[in-house]
Amino acid sequence: MEKPDPIEAVIIDLSGVLYLDGKALPGSVEALDRLQASGLPHCFLTNTTRQTREALQQQLLELGFDIPCQQLLTAGTAAHQYVVHNQLRPHLLIHPDLEAEFSDINCHSPNCVVVGDAGDAFTYASLNAAFRILSQHPEAPLISMGSNRYFKEADGLSLDMGPFVAALEYAAERKAIVTGKPADTFFQMALDQMGVTARQTCMIGDDLENDIGGAQSLGIAGILVRTGKYRPGDENHEHITASKVTHDFACAIDWILAQ
Amino acid sequence: MEKPDPIEAVIIDLSGVLYLDGKALPGSVEALDRLQASGLPHCFLTNTTRQTREALQQQLLELGFDIPCQQLLTAGTAAHQYVVHNQLRPHLLIHPDLEAEFSDINCHSPNCVVVGDAGDAFTYASLNAAFRILSQHPEAPLISMGSNRYFKEADGLSLDMGPFVAALEYAAERKAIVTGKPADTFFQMALDQMGVTARQTCMIGDDLENDIGGAQSLGIAGILVRTGKYRPGDENHEHITASKVTHDFACAIDWILAQ
């Protein structure tokens, strides 16, 4: 077997890795301090789309994580870039708290639909409005910030944006373009920002499909942590095998820094 | 080619065939009179699940169609039968106006989810509640009254139950059991009630997939009408070819009675 390149950059998922249910996970604040002190390039890749990047940065600060805004790459930012790059006028089916992120975009006479984790803003009326645009414009792309099935809340699992995108895909008979994890383009955005290659980089995440599978499809090594949405048995998935499994984020950072 | 059996029974779809947008389609009231006078056995098969059978009968009467309740077979009735037959306790994600149809069913401690066209009752909270039952009970069946993508309203196409079922299928990683059209069991229920075989029967409908495709999969001839959700090009579908295409319900009845 070829010797892997030394790890020269790290991509990190947020929810379920650094924090869970509004609390920093044990040892994660100190582990991030150690990573920051090491000087190893790193950035954060999240499919959380219920808030702007600025609000996310503030929330992380309150949890004890001092992270520059430009290190936070969100699926919302990726969708924004996609819309700008393709000169589209989106109909937004997103969380009200994310709308500010699209304030510079012309949304009149929409020719695409952009879906985020809208939460309670997913209603029959809002989904039907999005569907009507798609049915009236057979060429209009359906753009989704992610395909996550659900996320973990204090009182149980809750529907993420993926199921609502599946509903629109079925109704409008077209496949969504995903801008967040596990899309290659989103991971590539992180590599470009850090100026590194996939082989030099590892991804730390708790979501086997979106974090580990997504990273590996581009050739980035995936470290799975046993926190957040990790479930026993993730080690034996039929298609995806993490390069390494660690107890938590702190252990993952210790292992990387010891290389 | 084998000579087809003479038509001895007729199954008829309702919305888009007899009426549309709250009005009887031209000639349909008189055509039904002619069919009733002929003595040819017939019944009505509908995936409309926003009201009880009794309310549907009343609505049809107001439009000029006098149809006995027992001739109206609805996807809601079929779901009710499925639940009773399998001794299930359903969590109902259905239209408030349909709830009376399940008033005799024990819904405590649910071990399955039943979905109808809930309309505005499809909310994030109601879909999440259904999802949580499925995620907590990996063996719980997801039962859907239909898989229709959309229906036609006066102001445009609107989402039917199918997309919401697709959302739950994706989230809970299981396939739904469909009790309405195009399920074989639903068409068989109509044949059993009339005491005829598939080869003796024809189906009149405006929905190529659910009416024509569903009927033909059981060996029932399908007559497509060019009203309701019919779209030019339905004659050239890659998998489904109607046995006959007529202008409307009146023409279909005239053709059948002339045999």
Side-chain angles (χ1 to χ4, degrees):
Chain A
M1 224 174 79
E2 213 178 339
K3 190 176 176 296
D5 292 6
I7 294 169
E8 294 185 8
V10 189
I11 304 172
I12 305 160
D13 175 42
L14 289 174
S15 175
V17 175
L18 291 194
Y19 62 89
L20 190 67
D21 296 336
K23 284 182 204 148
L25 282 160
S28 60
V29 169
E30 298 76 13
L32 181 60
D33 286 344
R34 289 198 295 282
L35 176 63
Q36 288 173 333
S38 77
L40 203 65
H42 59 280
C43 67
F44 302 84
L45 212 59
T46 178
N47 275 11
T48 301
T49 58
R50 286 198 180 185
Q51 56 193 348
T52 60
R53 215 149 71 130
E54 290 69 26
L56 178 63
Q57 183 192 28
Q58 185 57 36
Q59 184 202 338
L60 287 163
L61 196 59
E62 283 161 18
L63 292 171
F65 304 103
D66 190 359
I67 299 171
C69 212
Q70 68 271 23
Q71 280 186 4
L72 296 173
L73 304 185
T74 72
T77 316
H80 181 279
Q81 282 197 12
Y82 186 91
V83 163
V84 170
H85 186 257
N86 292 282
Q87 297 179 291
L88 294 166
R89 300 179 306 276
H91 171 89
L92 300 171
L93 181 52
I94 63 177
H95 198 281
D97 292 347
L98 187 64
E99 281 172 12
E101 193 132 342
F102 288 83
S103 57
D104 62 326
I105 301 284
N106 174 14
C107 295
H108 292 288
S109 182
N111 58 4
C112 75
V113 167
V114 169
V115 186
D117 172 18
D120 287 330
F122 283 125
T123 63
Y124 182 80
S126 72
L127 285 158
N128 206 39
F131 164 65
R132 286 188 170 187
I133 287 162
L134 295 172
S135 76
Q136 285 157 15
H137 301 90
E139 305 303 320
L142 169 60
I143 300 157
S144 173
M145 297 183 188
S147 49
N148 307 57
R149 296 176 203 275
Y150 48 79
F151 56 92
K152 205 172 174 176
E153 291 196 290
D155 62 344
L157 300 180
S158 286
L159 292 170
D160 208 316
M161 67 195 111
F164 298 94
V165 174
L168 290 173
E169 287 185 321
Y170 180 78
E173 299 181 68
R174 75 200 65 174
K175 288 295 288 175
I177 296 156
V178 177
T179 64
K181 292 179 280 186
D184 281 1
T185 47
F186 196 36
F187 287 94
Q188 189 60 53
M189 191 186 291
L191 297 179
D192 291 347
Q193 168 155 331
M194 296 188 290
V196 293
T197 66
R199 282 195 52 137
Q200 299 169 308
T201 308
C202 75
M203 165 88 209
I204 307 175
D206 66 326
D207 185 322
L208 193 71
E209 277 184 65
N210 289 299
D211 294 331
I212 309 305
Q216 290 183 342
S217 109
L218 206 65
I220 298 167
I223 304 179
L224 181 68
V225 291
R226 291 201 185 93
T227 53
K229 67 169 67 163
Y230 164 84
R231 286 184 297 193
D234 276 356
E235 290 91 340
N236 309 315
H237 190 275
E238 53 179 332
H239 303 305
I240 304 167
T241 306
S243 311
K244 183 161 182 67
V245 183
T246 67
H247 180 65
D248 59 11
F249 176 67
C251 295
I253 291 300
D254 286 345
W255 183 80
I256 290 166
L257 295 180
Q259 299 290 299
Chain B
M1 225 174 79
E2 212 178 342
K3 189 177 176 299
D5 293 7
I7 293 168
E8 295 185 6
V10 189
I11 304 173
I12 304 159
D13 176 41
L14 289 174
S15 176
V17 175
L18 292 194
Y19 63 90
L20 191 67
D21 297 336
K23 284 184 203 148
L25 282 160
S28 60
V29 168
E30 298 76 14
L32 181 60
D33 285 345
R34 291 198 295 282
L35 176 64
Q36 288 174 332
S38 76
L40 203 66
H42 59 280
C43 67
F44 302 84
L45 212 59
T46 179
N47 275 11
T48 301
T49 58
R50 286 198 180 185
Q51 55 193 348
T52 61
R53 213 148 72 131
E54 290 70 25
L56 179 61
Q57 185 194 26
Q58 185 57 37
Q59 185 203 336
L60 287 164
L61 196 59
E62 285 162 16
L63 292 172
F65 305 103
D66 190 358
I67 299 171
C69 211
Q70 67 271 20
Q71 280 188 4
L72 295 173
L73 305 184
T74 72
T77 316
H80 181 279
Q81 282 196 14
Y82 187 92
V83 163
V84 170
H85 185 256
N86 292 282
Q87 298 180 291
L88 293 166
R89 299 181 306 275
H91 171 88
L92 300 172
L93 181 53
I94 63 177
H95 198 281
D97 292 346
L98 188 64
E99 282 174 10
E101 193 131 341
F102 288 83
S103 57
D104 61 326
I105 300 284
N106 174 13
C107 295
H108 293 288
S109 182
N111 58 5
C112 74
V113 168
V114 169
V115 185
D117 171 20
D120 287 330
F122 283 125
T123 63
Y124 182 80
S126 73
L127 285 158
N128 206 39
F131 164 65
R132 285 189 172 187
I133 286 162
L134 296 172
S135 76
Q136 285 157 15
H137 301 90
E139 304 304 318
L142 169 60
I143 300 157
S144 173
M145 297 183 188
S147 49
N148 307 58
R149 296 177 204 274
Y150 48 79
F151 56 91
K152 205 172 170 174
E153 291 196 290
D155 62 342
L157 299 180
S158 286
L159 293 171
D160 208 317
M161 67 196 110
F164 298 94
V165 174
L168 290 173
E169 287 185 321
Y170 180 77
E173 298 181 68
R174 77 200 64 172
K175 288 295 290 176
I177 296 157
V178 177
T179 64
K181 293 179 281 186
D184 281 1
T185 48
F186 196 36
F187 287 94
Q188 189 60 53
M189 191 186 290
L191 298 179
D192 292 348
Q193 168 156 330
M194 297 188 289
V196 293
T197 66
R199 283 194 49 137
Q200 299 170 307
T201 308
C202 74
M203 165 88 208
I204 305 174
D206 65 327
D207 184 323
L208 193 72
E209 277 184 65
N210 290 299
D211 293 332
I212 310 304
Q216 290 184 341
S217 110
L218 206 65
I220 298 167
I223 303 179
L224 181 68
V225 290
R226 289 201 186 95
T227 53
K229 69 170 65 162
Y230 164 84
R231 287 186 295 193
D234 276 357
E235 290 92 341
N236 309 314
H237 191 274
E238 53 179 333
H239 303 305
I240 305 168
T241 306
S243 311
K244 183 161 182 64
V245 183
T246 67
H247 179 66
D248 59 10
F249 176 66
C251 294
I253 292 300
D254 287 344
W255 183 80
I256 291 167
L257 295 180
Q259 300 290 299

